[in-house]
Amino acid sequence: MLDDTLDARAARLNDRYKHHAATEVLRRALKDPDLGSTTLVSSFGSESVVLLHMVSLVAPGTPVLFIDTMMLFQETLDYQLEVTRKLGLTDVRVIRASEREVALNDPDGTLHQFNTDACCDFRKTIPLERELSKFDAWITGRKRFQGGERQQLDFFESEPPSRLRINPLAHWRREDVQEYMAENNLPRHPLVAKGYASIGCAPCTSPIKPGEDPRAGRWRGQAKTECGIHFIGGKMVRAGANT
């Protein structure tokens, strides 16, 4: 009998696609019954346009989830609209916390000043989980070069209890990302030119200095490094420049 556990499905998929390039992994995976219904989660950040462009080429109607925390830079909101239009993406879903959740958790918009974890949780993690619960798999921009536990990252991985993750760019180098953007003349997030390497909410994001880690501008001065959406098996995994 075929083993249909999450880990077994991920292993089968990795074996099936181990010799394929990123775009072909996407093209085939979006039709593979071992995955089921699939969405792309995008922050429309500094490197997000790479995966968005690939999806636009192979299946522009793929659902794309964009989390509007209601504390994003205006540049990010404008960039999201620009990229969506330019690439012809037809199912970008803007998700956010409800008015009731905002009124209950952060009525004066100051929660980030004294509890960033709680702010990320209700503005980002909970709304995303609500939407992801409708899908069997989701596409991420995670890559091996981002280090830590990602150094052994595969194209597919299990996300207990019921989802799979697809990491088409798992084997890419940092240079590959930049080359792809240049070769395809893709629009850049306007804040990159101002020194922002990893772009999140405006109150908790700052430019980085030469030589700093790309994530250094997120929650600067705090021990916090993650918003909470990247968990594998109950453990947090570094999100890198692109959530």
Side-chain angles (χ1 to χ4, degrees):
M1 181 180 293
L2 184 67
D3 187 349
D4 201 38
T5 63
L6 280 179
D7 286 343
R9 287 166 59 200
R12 286 200 303 272
L13 288 160
N14 280 315
D15 185 64
R16 191 175 303 157
Y17 297 117
K18 61 186 176 183
H19 299 304
H20 291 292
T23 303
E24 197 61 21
V25 168
L26 264 182
R27 185 190 309 277
R28 293 171 180 263
L30 287 170
K31 300 176 183 178
D32 196 309
D34 260 333
L35 282 163
S37 59
T38 301
T39 183
L40 166 63
V41 177
S42 180
S43 65
F44 285 80
S46 58
E47 297 177 351
S48 301
V49 72
V50 170
L51 270 180
L52 291 164
H53 181 256
M54 289 181 178
V55 166
S56 76
L57 295 178
V58 303
T62 301
V64 177
L65 305 184
F66 170 58
I67 311 168
D68 179 6
T69 63
M70 295 171 279
M71 286 195 165
L72 298 177
F73 290 95
Q74 184 60 47
E75 288 90 340
T76 298
L77 299 174
D78 294 341
Y79 183 64
Q80 182 262 312
L81 294 174
E82 176 193 1
V83 169
T84 298
R85 176 187 55 78
K86 182 168 184 175
L87 298 185
L89 300 166
T90 60
D91 192 8
V92 176
R93 306 177 188 184
V94 181
I95 60 177
R96 48 177 76 92
S98 67
E99 292 183 2
R100 180 180 179 278
E101 288 170 321
V102 174
L104 180 64
N105 292 284
D106 194 13
D108 59 0
T110 62
L111 181 60
H112 67 277
Q113 296 177 9
F114 56 89
N115 193 335
T116 51
D117 285 338
C119 189
C120 287
D121 190 49
F122 99 85
R123 290 184 180 275
K124 195 168 189 177
T125 310
I126 292 173
L128 178 60
E129 180 55 36
R130 265 198 303 261
E131 292 302 311
L132 280 179
S133 66
K134 304 171 185 177
F135 296 93
D136 302 309
W138 60 299
I139 304 162
T140 89
R142 298 161 68 238
K143 312 167 192 71
R144 288 187 175 188
F145 76 72
Q146 292 166 336
E149 295 182 24
R150 298 190 178 197
Q151 293 178 25
Q152 302 302 318
L153 191 67
D154 283 320
F155 285 137
F156 303 90
E157 59 185 332
S158 61
E159 184 185 84
S162 59
R163 278 194 300 268
L164 290 168
R165 290 193 191 198
I166 310 168
N167 309 303
L169 308 182
H171 305 289
W172 279 33
R173 303 167 301 161
R174 192 182 305 276
E175 297 82 0
D176 296 328
V177 175
Q178 298 305 315
E179 287 174 8
Y180 186 95
M181 293 172 72
E183 290 172 1
N184 291 282
N185 194 29
L186 299 178
R188 306 296 180 99
H189 194 298
L191 289 179
V192 171
K194 298 180 180 180
Y196 292 82
S198 179
I199 303 164
C201 295
C204 299
T205 306
S206 60
I208 64 169
K209 301 171 184 176
E212 280 192 311
D213 184 276
R215 294 282 290 182
R218 302 290 291 276
W219 305 286
R220 187 178 291 278
Q222 302 181 43
K224 180 179 175 67
T225 60
E226 298 292 344
C227 63
I229 67 171
H230 286 275
F231 285 88
I232 294 292
K235 297 196 300 183
M236 190 175 284
V237 180
R238 179 176 178 141
N242 200 40
T243 55

